Amino acid sequence: MEPTGENNSLEVVVCVENELGLHARPAGKVAQLAQSFQADIALCLADQRADAKSILDILSLAAPQGTEICIKASGSDACEALEQISQLFHDKFEGDT
């Protein structure tokens, strides 16, 4: 799961692995982590695009378990942001079910 992209605009595809999908607690964790970066970060699902720094935007994706989401980031710390946010998904939001 290597970030891909060019000109400081990167993206990575992750899978929602936790049982309850991308509900309020995981969305809050993603938004809180995203807010710690200068990069512009978005979660994309089909034709939907959510600001990763907004819990409500993330919840609007209504992503159940098994959904693949593309995380896109651009800015000086985009690579680090993608690594840390994708790790949240990989860790199932630290045991959140």
Side-chain angles (χ1 to χ4, degrees), residues 9-78:
S9 178
L10 305 169
E11 62 183 60
V12 66
V13 176
V14 296
C15 184
V16 178
E17 296 178 18
N18 60 315
E19 187 178 331
L20 297 176
L22 196 52
H23 61 91
R25 264 183 256 127
K29 289 179 181 183
V30 171
Q32 184 176 27
L33 182 56
Q35 289 168 12
S36 71
F37 295 100
Q38 294 292 319
D40 290 323
I41 309 164
L43 303 181
C44 302
L45 174 61
D47 61 346
Q48 293 179 285
R49 182 180 179 97
D51 179 353
K53 297 180 182 184
S54 167
I55 295 171
L56 291 178
D57 270 16
I58 295 169
L59 288 174
S60 73
L61 296 175
Q65 183 180 31
T67 301
E68 288 193 342
I69 293 177
C70 181
I71 307 170
K72 297 182 180 186
S74 61
S76 61
D77 55 0

Side-chain angles (χ1 to χ4, degrees), residues 73-85:
S74 61
S76 61
D77 55 0
C79 188
E80 185 179 350
L82 283 183
E83 287 174 7
Q84 290 190 29
I85 293 171

